Amino acid sequence: IKIVQPEAVAGVGTDQLLKELGHAAKLTHPNILPVHDAGVENGHPYIVMPLIAGGSLRDRLQQAVRLPLAEALGILDGVCRALSRAHSR
């Protein structure tokens, strides 16, 4: 369960966030985490997704000053495939 920070929705708003998460929940692709649920509880937006072992991309980027080229290209390939899938839907 991820609690969305207020500054993350400041320019978008909670209603728009929930609408977009509803669209994201319909996407299926190996490089897109499924959204199991999303909502607002006591004024705090939240998202329920599966827990993935190994940490986030942010964690990985903080571990290395510079990623090896093959790893960086693999990450970029996965992101591009996920974006392509999302845009095609």
Side-chain angles (χ1 to χ4, degrees):
I1 299 173
K2 294 186 177 210
I3 306 299
V4 180
Q5 298 299 316
E7 57 271 9
V9 295
V12 178
T14 302
D15 291 339
Q16 183 65 31
L17 171 72
L18 293 176
K19 180 180 176 184
E20 293 188 20
L21 286 171
H23 294 303
K26 297 174 188 172
L27 295 173
T28 56
H29 187 273
N31 296 57
I32 299 174
L33 278 176
V35 175
H36 295 307
D37 190 23
V40 179
E41 186 67 36
N42 294 326
H44 300 285
Y46 67 88
I47 307 168
V48 180
M49 299 181 298
L51 178 63
I52 303 298
S56 67
L57 176 58
R58 177 180 291 168
D59 294 338
R60 178 64 184 112
L61 293 174
Q62 289 175 347
Q63 292 172 358
V65 175
R66 188 173 182 174
L67 293 178
L69 181 59
E71 184 178 356
L73 289 174
I75 292 169
L76 184 58
D77 179 63
V79 169
C80 288
R81 288 174 189 268
L83 285 172
S84 178
R85 176 59 162 223
H87 285 287
S88 73
R89 300 285 181 228

